[in-house]
Amino acid sequence: MKLAYWPGCVSRGFTPELHGSMAIAAEKLGIELVELDRANCCGAGIIAEHNQELADTLNARTFALAQQTGLAMMNICSTCQGAQSECQQRLDADSAYRAHVNEVLSGQGLAYEKGKDGWTNKNFLWVLVEDYGLDKLAERVTRPLSGLRVGPFYGCYVVRPKERLGYDEFPERDLYLEKVIETLGGEVVEYDGARKCCGFPVITMNRETSLRQAGTHVGDAIDAGADCLVTPCPLCHLNLDMQQPEAAKVVNRDLGLAVLHLPQLVALALGAEPKELGMSKHIASTGWVEDKLSAVPA
Amino acid sequence: MATYTLKVRRYQPESGEGPYWEEFDVDLDPSLSVLDGLLQAKDRDDGSLSVRCSCRAAICGSCGMKVNGQSTLACKTQIGEAFEAANRRNGESEPIVVEPMGNMPVIKDLITDMESTHWTKIRRVTPWLLPHGAPPEREYVVEPESMIDITQSMACIQCGACVSSCLSMEADPDFIGPAALAKAYRFVGDPRDAETEERLHDLAHDPHGIYDCTHCFSCIDACPKGVAPMDQIMRLRRKAGEHGIDDDPNNGHNHVTAMTKIIEKKGTNDESLLIQESYAPGVKGKLKPTKGAIKGLTESLPTVLRAIKTGKARSLSKLIPGIHPKLPDGAQDEVKAIYEHAEEHREEFNVYIHGEEDVEPEPDETKMEETA
């Protein structure tokens, strides 16, 4: 499997461990990634608050760069997925609007074509379940995550709005994390916050609301007996992990729950070591997860 | 006809007891609604089961509640589909879970107090026209085209499902919320209203206003009428920016401006610069901290220090705002060209109004010519 790969900004910013882990996971899965190093930020829904056409055109450029490779596109961020799907919905809805946006891209030898050879843009979670396949994933597991209790945390942008995010065709997209956790040999922890908001989008605008959201979900997962959370969204990771000590202050309780990126969880089950996956860079200690897994040799 | 189990969250304040769950078996065709199921249970098993309803056709907006955790109208939710939704993960014997709406007090069983939250918040946004000058002799005359923009927010039936689902309000009950802000846009976008700027200023300057939405899309999925309240909130932010309202207490406008500027210059996000500029935007080379800027920046410090300690943010480009690399090989110039084009046109395409049907000129005509 070969894919055009958009790593997003955060995986090369404050979650550098994600970028490295995706490379390791891809190698272990046998997926070849062609990184789109000329592509730009998706705007995270924020640039659209300033100028919607600007956000649409920026993402049309990224789509066009991916289409130029002749490959389907993969991202590793729920927020990229949501922001890009939103722009794609508008671009796909009207040929005149698409032509208008393509006007400026044509000067750069680029064009976004609707539905070109069945072209898709999917995040790693969707690729893993829909295109790679859970059976094939199961075959590659060398260190089942036996006894590891994992709470899924999706990130809003891959669960809502359902009508925009392909749930008609793939109605179980909001159950994929559970399926992946089970395929890797782990145990799914049910808790209230799995599909709720981490609060990250308002961290600079309403810090208390933001941290209360993160702290509540982490606390609920701890109460449900989770050893860790797993998320396909690095922005959720920033609030759930990087801000966890601050969130603990707002919800006024001890937290301390490891939060893994999805590629880290996959790579661990495929035999990678926590150190090479950058887990020591996390703010909430991953020691407990590592101890549990060390009982199972890779 | 099939038998379904409804697991209903019940509460009778006069009993002095807390809420409890009760299960009712109902026999219905799968195409009938969850509301039909509740009314059958009320009729057959317990006349005291309390539910608010009227039209049963998703018009009146009375029967807002949560079905399997999803805020919706009970009359618009088919019981067969609700059963499937309840059993997506755990076999085939899970009951359909029915609860009163969230984010508002429960009066009895499935009836919530709409007044203390929903209607109070609606009144907060001055939900009536504020035209200037003497009224015209007859009606106000407006071009139909000028009203199209607000038809989406006008579709609201005040059911409260979006308020019930709001994840921001769950963490901050003071948030004005999706229904009221969608209603606010209905008047901000109305060509007859003369206080657009005052409205925008008010909503931006309320710390629980337009910049308190966490962008979680919950209200979009909850709304039975396609109002997409979150999209209306984003329109309000965009309009506030267009009106130069840049001094809101949440640093919301600064955040949008910072992100937009950074991508123009660098193509990808410079996170340390985004944090700094969100609180204290640089204007002509000088930092202009807003009121809460020092506090905001100080509060961010422990997080940044921890990230340096673990190695997350140890490179200079992550520590020093502004030295983040540009996109390679002329790609940054391509991004700049996009900015010039999009800032000149600023088109706003609304899928609700336009529809998703792409009316691409069909190549059929050419084919027909060829055949001819």
Side-chain angles (χ1 to χ4, degrees), chain B residues 13-307:
Chain B
E14 66 276 13
S15 72
E17 303 290 324
Y20 60 99
W21 293 102
E22 186 170 2
E23 294 194 356
F24 298 96
D25 285 340
V26 295
D27 302 300
L28 287 176
D29 188 275
S31 65
L32 290 175
S33 71
V34 171
L35 179 63
D36 290 320
L38 289 166
L39 294 177
Q40 190 182 92
K42 185 181 171 76
D43 184 41
R44 289 202 318 204
D45 300 321
D46 184 351
S48 77
L49 176 63
S50 299
V51 54
R52 192 188 269 138
C53 65
S54 180
C55 76
R56 306 189 198 188
I59 293 166
C60 74
S62 301
C63 65
M65 59 188 73
K66 283 188 185 176
V67 180
N68 300 315
Q70 174 67 51
S71 300
T72 185
L73 293 178
C75 70
K76 200 174 183 248
T77 309
Q78 290 187 338
I79 199 159
E81 283 181 6
F83 176 77
E84 277 171 31
N87 287 283
R88 287 197 325 147
R89 217 178 117 64
N90 300 317
E92 289 184 354
S93 55
E94 294 293 320
I96 298 163
V97 179
V98 185
E99 299 166 86
M101 286 199 283
N103 289 328
M104 42 188 110
V106 178
I107 294 174
K108 188 180 183 188
D109 292 339
L110 299 169
I111 298 176
T112 49
D113 174 11
M114 294 282 283
E115 175 57 31
S116 68
T117 42
H118 179 78
W119 293 114
T120 305
K121 287 172 189 291
I122 292 282
R123 282 194 295 271
R124 158 72 186 79
V125 303
T126 322
W128 54 84
L129 269 185
L130 296 169
H132 281 180
E137 267 180 44
R138 292 170 60 89
E139 68 274 18
Y140 285 95
V141 178
V142 288
E143 294 294 321
E145 293 75 28
S146 67
M147 296 291 281
I148 289 174
D149 182 46
I150 55 171
T151 51
Q152 190 175 15
S153 51
M154 285 164 94
C156 175
I157 55 170
Q158 306 291 340
C159 67
C162 61
V163 175
S164 164
S165 76
C166 178
L167 297 178
S168 255
M169 212 184 279
E170 206 172 270
D172 175 13
D174 291 332
F175 176 40
I176 295 178
L181 289 172
K183 182 57 71 188
Y185 186 73
R186 184 249 168 277
F187 292 100
V188 162
D190 193 310
R192 297 166 296 176
D193 197 89
E195 301 206 5
T196 308
E197 186 144 347
E198 290 82 350
R199 288 179 188 272
L200 289 167
H201 188 274
D202 170 46
L203 298 168
H205 277 255
D206 186 326
H208 308 285
I210 52 175
Y211 293 111
D212 202 12
C213 163
T214 66
H215 213 276
C216 73
F217 305 93
S218 285
C219 56
I220 297 183
D221 271 5
C223 178
K225 291 290 171 186
V227 170
M230 191 194 96
D231 289 353
Q232 312 309 329
I233 299 172
M234 296 309 132
R235 290 201 172 94
L236 287 168
R237 289 186 184 179
R238 201 150 51 233
K239 290 257 186 219
E242 284 165 10
H243 280 79
I245 300 165
D246 59 1
D247 54 348
D248 65 88
N250 301 63
N251 306 302
H253 180 77
N254 285 347
H255 188 64
V256 173
T257 309
M259 182 84 179
T260 308
K261 258 169 43 180
I262 288 167
I263 304 311
E264 181 176 16
K265 283 191 187 145
K266 307 285 186 176
T268 56
N269 193 9
D270 177 347
E271 290 157 320
S272 53
L273 186 60
L274 181 65
I275 295 169
Q276 179 234 293
E277 288 266 315
S278 294
Y279 291 120
V283 180
K284 290 181 185 164
K286 282 184 186 172
L287 293 185
K288 288 273 169 75
T290 54
K291 205 178 165 189
I294 308 291
K295 189 169 172 273
L297 281 171
T298 318
E299 283 173 340
S300 312
L301 268 181
T303 305
V304 174
L305 290 174
R306 277 185 218 109

Side-chain angles (χ1 to χ4, degrees), chain A residues 82 85-86 89-90 161-167, chain B residues 217 220 231:
Chain A
S85 292
E86 181 172 339
Q89 185 189 33
R90 287 191 287 263
K162 289 209 155 46
E163 169 267 328
R164 180 190 294 151
L165 293 174
Y167 278 78
Chain B
F217 305 93
I220 297 183
D231 289 353

Side-chain angles (χ1 to χ4, degrees), chain A residues 112-125:
Chain A
Y112 166 63
E113 287 180 49
K114 177 185 178 179
K116 185 185 185 184
D117 310 321
W119 183 82
T120 51
N121 169 31
K122 293 184 184 182
N123 64 85
F124 177 48
L125 177 63

Side-chain angles (χ1 to χ4, degrees), chain A residues 39-279:
Chain A
N40 47 258
C41 172
C42 71
I46 304 172
I47 289 180
E49 287 175 35
H50 164 71
N51 177 341
Q52 204 178 69
E53 180 186 333
L54 178 56
D56 291 349
T57 317
L58 285 170
N59 282 310
R61 177 174 179 272
T62 301
F63 301 158
L65 286 166
Q67 288 185 337
Q68 224 174 28
T69 67
L71 302 168
M73 177 171 148
M74 182 180 92
N75 65 75
I76 50 168
C77 172
S78 298
T79 305
C80 288
Q81 180 74 61
Q84 290 175 336
S85 292
E86 181 172 339
C87 295
Q88 196 185 353
Q89 185 189 33
R90 287 191 287 263
L91 291 164
D92 286 353
D94 185 43
S95 56
Y97 183 55
R98 208 158 51 245
H100 171 72
V101 162
N102 274 331
E103 236 170 63
V104 61
L105 297 184
S106 66
Q108 307 169 1
L110 292 170
Y112 166 63
E113 287 180 49
K114 177 185 178 179
K116 185 185 185 184
D117 310 321
W119 183 82
T120 51
N121 169 31
K122 293 184 184 182
N123 64 85
F124 177 48
L125 177 63
W126 297 355
V127 168
L128 205 52
V129 178
E130 292 161 10
D131 304 318
Y132 192 81
L134 292 174
D135 291 345
K136 203 167 152 198
L137 176 63
E139 283 168 19
R140 303 232 172 193
V141 173
T142 57
R143 175 169 50 202
L145 308 176
S146 316
L148 192 69
R149 293 175 51 80
V150 188
F153 195 95
Y154 281 84
C156 301
Y157 287 73
V158 290
V159 286
R160 290 177 295 269
K162 289 209 155 46
E163 169 267 328
R164 180 190 294 151
L165 293 174
Y167 278 78
D168 283 348
E169 193 180 348
F170 303 103
E172 296 201 322
R173 281 184 166 173
D174 57 348
L175 292 176
Y176 285 178
L177 276 178
E178 282 86 340
K179 289 175 193 285
V180 169
I181 293 166
E182 282 165 357
T183 304
L184 301 177
E187 194 184 321
V188 174
V189 175
E190 310 266 356
Y191 71 107
D192 201 35
R195 290 161 194 82
K196 288 193 173 180
C197 178
C198 70
F200 180 78
V202 289
I203 185 69
T204 62
M205 299 193 278
N206 190 334
R207 185 181 160 82
E208 205 182 315
T209 297
S210 174
L211 294 176
R212 176 163 298 124
Q213 289 179 296
T216 303
H217 307 325
V218 171
D220 285 349
I222 291 172
D223 294 345
D227 296 320
C228 65
L229 293 178
V230 64
T231 181
C233 182
L235 281 81
C236 293
H237 198 271
L238 291 178
N239 240 30
L240 298 171
D241 175 70
M242 196 170 171
Q243 296 281 9
Q244 200 179 110
E246 300 300 310
K249 289 180 206 165
V250 172
V251 294
N252 200 22
R253 63 173 284 183
D254 286 336
L255 296 174
L257 182 68
V259 185
L260 304 189
H261 299 284
L262 177 62
Q264 286 176 327
L265 193 81
V266 172
L268 279 172
L270 270 52
E273 292 307 320
K275 201 173 174 210
E276 59 179 328
L277 300 172
M279 283 163 61

